[in-house]
């Protein structure tokens, strides 16, 4: 009898502590599973983050609770890892990898070759002229080898080349890498990556490649890689989508085109922007212009919340059709940490993710959870 009373008391304390802990984290929900729970084994649920976000214990606990996959938002880019030639600085990226390992999360590396956030010396001389091909190739090879060997066995897959395709031009973006090396810089980057870690998955990552205007360029690139004997494991469709644009069918067709090639498809940087877009909107706007472009400073009105939720639902309904999609990564954790607060206009109050600035789930979160659950039931 005494034993039973003790057991009941212990159970009570355990349940109480779990409830208090969850309440402290501010994430407890009696009815809703977490994102990673709802996705189960069907696909990874990822987020991008910056290493300093892990210094906030509540945020760190929230990230580990909701997601099972991490991508560093900036810490694995060339300027973060090798801003000065030959001087590798892994500390901030290591911190994210250690956190992922401590919480049983999968790590994705982003990115080994990109025209942004890359030091000039990689592909240019001191006069900003392209380096000779062999010198540029050796810089690229050494960067890729050193980084991938450092993370061997700890990073599941890499965005080897990011945004190598041109939006308006006929094919490749005319980056410093292309100017120095030539059109085969993407092939070379994949070859170096395969040599450096034969077990890592290698992805080509870009935005809008699911869209009609850019998809043919991506398909051409993937074919050229294949013809060159380069094995690409998957394609990363970034997924920086807008609330208003009605292109669900186009997105569906885009995913299908890549899946039909026998490639894994990752949706790598998801957010849905509910703010008005204006081409060329710089930071030097008048107060009135800024007011019109920043309409939800006090919060997202209910009707827009619903619209955002339905947009997320429609996107996830498409995503769940494809077993080739093995990961969805959101670009940021909560609305407060989204890059879209500063793009294309700096200092706006944006609301593109599933949780608000206080980690409260939005209707979009419920829509995503419901879609994930319905799809797992249907299987
Ligand atoms: O670290 C400096 C800080 O010292 C300085 O005070 C501050 C002033 O602006 O800038 C800080 O650097 C910023 C950095 O993010 C870290 O916050 C840069 O200005 C800012 O440009 C940089 O933005 C990053 C952007 O890539 C750069 O292109 C975003 O965080 C990052 O989320 C974004 O991610 C990209 C993906 O890599 C590729 N796909 C598109 C996506 C969104 O642009």
């Amino acid at each position: 009898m005494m034993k039973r009373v003790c057991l009941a008391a212990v159970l009570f304390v355990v349940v109480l502590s779990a409830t208090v802990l969850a309440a402290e984290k501010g994430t407890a929900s009696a009815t809703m599973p977490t994102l990673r729970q709802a996705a189960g084994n069907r696909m990874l649920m990822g987020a991008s983050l910056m290493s300093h976000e892990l210094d906030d214990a509540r945020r760190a606990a929230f990230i580990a609770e909701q997601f099972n996959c991490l991508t560093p938002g900036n810490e694995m880019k060339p300027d973060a890892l090798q801003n000065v030639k030959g001087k590798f600085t892994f500390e901030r990226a290591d911190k994210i990898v250690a956190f992922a390992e401590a919480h049983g999360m999968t790590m994705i590396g982003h990115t080994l070759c990109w025209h942004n956030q890359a030091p000039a010396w990689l592909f240019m001389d001191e006069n900003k002229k392209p380096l000779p091909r062999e010198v540029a190739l050796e810089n690229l090879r050494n960067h890729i080898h050193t980084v991938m060997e450092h993370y061997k066995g700890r990073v599941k897959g890499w965005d080897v080349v990011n945004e190598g395709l041109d939006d308006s031009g006929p094919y490749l973006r005319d980056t410093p890498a292309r100017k120095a090396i030539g059109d085969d810089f993407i092939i070379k980057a994949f070859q170096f990556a395969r040599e450096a870690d034969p077990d890592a998955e290698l992805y080509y990552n870009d935005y809008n490649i699911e869209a009609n205007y850019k998809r043919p360029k991506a398909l051409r690139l993937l074919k050229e890689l294949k013809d060159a004997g380069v094995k690409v494991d998957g394609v990363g469709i970034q997924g920086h989508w807008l609330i208003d644009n009605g292109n669900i069918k186009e997105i569906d067709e885009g995913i299908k085109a890549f899946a039909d090639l026998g490639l894994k498809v990752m949706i790598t940087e998801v957010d849905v922007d509910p703010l008005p877009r204006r081409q060329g909107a710089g930071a030097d706007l008048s107060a009135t212009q800024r007011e019109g472009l920043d309409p939800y400073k006090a919060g997202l009105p209910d009707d827009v919340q619903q619209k955002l939720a339905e947009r997320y639902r429609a996107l996830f309904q498409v995503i769940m059709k494809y077993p080739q999609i093995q990961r969805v990564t959101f670009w940021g954790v909560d609305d407060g940490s989204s890059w879209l607060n500063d793009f294309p206009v700096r200092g706006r109050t944006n609301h593109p993710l599933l949780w608000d600035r206080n980690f409260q789930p939005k209707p979009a979160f419920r829509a995503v959870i419901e879609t994930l659950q319905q799809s797992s039931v249907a299987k």
Side-chain angles (χ1 to χ4, degrees):
M1 177 65 180
M2 192 55 192
K3 255 190 192 164
R4 245 186 264 158
V5 172
C6 281
L7 194 64
V10 168
L11 270 175
F12 177 72
V13 170
V14 169
V15 170
L16 189 70
S17 328
T19 314
V20 169
L21 202 67
E24 272 172 5
K25 285 186 198 166
T27 58
S29 162
T31 50
M32 296 295 273
T34 65
L35 207 51
R36 60 187 287 176
Q37 283 169 341
N41 295 327
R42 166 66 183 82
M43 61 171 69
L44 289 169
M45 284 285 133
S48 80
L49 81 170
M50 288 194 269
S51 55
H52 65 77
E53 293 181 56
L54 298 175
D55 300 338
D56 174 342
R58 180 179 172 220
R59 175 177 286 275
F62 181 82
I63 291 170
E65 187 178 66
Q66 290 291 340
F67 300 98
N68 51 15
C69 181
L70 294 177
T71 305
N74 289 305
E75 288 80 350
M76 286 187 177
K77 292 173 178 171
D79 68 344
L81 292 181
Q82 197 190 181
N83 203 32
V84 175
K85 185 170 181 172
K87 188 170 176 285
F88 285 86
T89 44
F90 289 114
E91 296 75 14
R92 289 183 306 139
D94 284 353
K95 180 173 162 182
I96 299 178
V97 176
F99 180 84
E101 287 174 346
H103 294 85
M105 305 165 98
T106 300
M107 267 312 300
I108 301 297
H110 171 86
T111 170
L112 297 165
C113 181
W114 188 27
H115 59 280
N116 250 337
Q117 293 175 285
W121 64 261
L122 261 177
F123 304 115
M124 286 187 273
D125 66 16
E126 52 285 359
N127 300 315
K128 302 276 181 279
K129 295 273 180 298
L131 287 175
R133 173 177 161 93
E134 291 313 318
V135 179
L137 274 174
E138 178 50 25
N139 286 347
L140 181 64
R141 194 200 67 79
N142 186 53
H143 182 78
I144 291 178
H145 269 255
T146 308
V147 171
M148 288 186 73
E149 281 162 19
H150 181 82
Y151 290 112
K152 210 173 214 161
R154 303 174 74 193
V155 168
K156 176 185 167 124
W158 287 91
D159 293 336
V160 177
V161 176
N162 190 45
E163 301 172 9
L165 295 169
D166 207 6
D167 280 297
S168 47
Y171 183 34
L172 298 178
R173 191 190 287 268
D174 203 16
T175 62
R178 181 179 179 224
K179 286 191 171 100
I181 296 172
D183 278 1
D184 62 345
F185 80 98
I186 299 181
I187 291 174
K188 289 290 177 192
F190 273 90
Q191 286 171 340
F192 295 148
R194 187 60 75 195
E195 285 161 18
D197 183 355
D199 297 326
E201 291 190 352
L202 306 183
Y203 317 125
Y204 176 73
N205 194 56
D206 210 330
Y207 60 86
N208 289 351
I209 47 173
E210 73 283 12
N212 291 339
Y213 84 93
K214 209 163 169 183
R215 192 189 310 150
K217 298 176 198 175
L219 292 171
R220 173 175 166 190
L221 174 63
L222 293 164
K223 182 172 183 311
E224 285 183 8
L225 283 161
K226 194 174 176 203
D227 291 347
V230 172
K231 183 172 174 282
V232 175
D233 296 288
V235 174
I237 295 175
Q238 291 187 0
H240 294 295
W241 289 312
L242 307 177
I243 196 170
D244 266 326
N245 143 357
N247 60 358
I248 291 289
K249 185 164 171 280
E250 197 176 331
I251 292 171
D252 195 339
E253 287 165 1
I255 295 172
K256 184 170 186 311
F258 298 120
D260 283 350
L261 295 180
L263 295 171
K264 293 178 182 176
V265 182
M266 316 289 164
I267 314 292
T268 56
E269 304 186 14
V270 173
D271 40 39
V272 176
D273 190 349
L275 291 187
R277 277 284 166 105
R278 205 193 67 168
Q279 286 307 315
D284 53 345
L285 295 165
S286 71
T288 325
Q289 282 172 319
R290 179 171 286 282
E291 200 62 38
L293 289 170
D294 194 10
Y296 307 132
K297 277 188 284 203
L300 211 52
D302 284 350
D303 59 331
V304 189
Q305 288 280 20
Q306 288 311 324
K307 194 171 166 188
L308 185 73
E310 290 319 308
R311 177 78 171 151
Y312 263 108
R313 189 189 304 280
L315 288 164
F316 269 77
Q317 281 169 347
V318 170
I319 287 170
M320 296 308 288
K321 282 170 58 177
Y322 294 95
Q324 293 89 345
I325 299 184
Q326 300 188 351
R327 167 170 60 94
V328 173
T329 292
F330 293 83
W331 207 244
V333 174
D334 65 313
D335 285 340
S337 63
S338 169
W339 71 291
L340 287 171
N341 290 300
D342 289 308
F343 181 88
V345 181
R346 239 176 283 149
R348 294 195 296 181
T349 304
N350 212 330
H351 311 265
L353 293 167
L354 304 185
W355 294 273
D356 70 13
R357 286 163 167 72
N358 295 313
F359 298 117
Q360 293 308 304
K362 294 155 63 177
F365 172 73
R366 180 177 287 274
V368 169
I369 294 286
E370 285 172 359
T371 313
L372 290 169
Q373 287 178 323
Q374 279 157 12
S375 310
S376 21
V377 169
K379 265 191 291 166

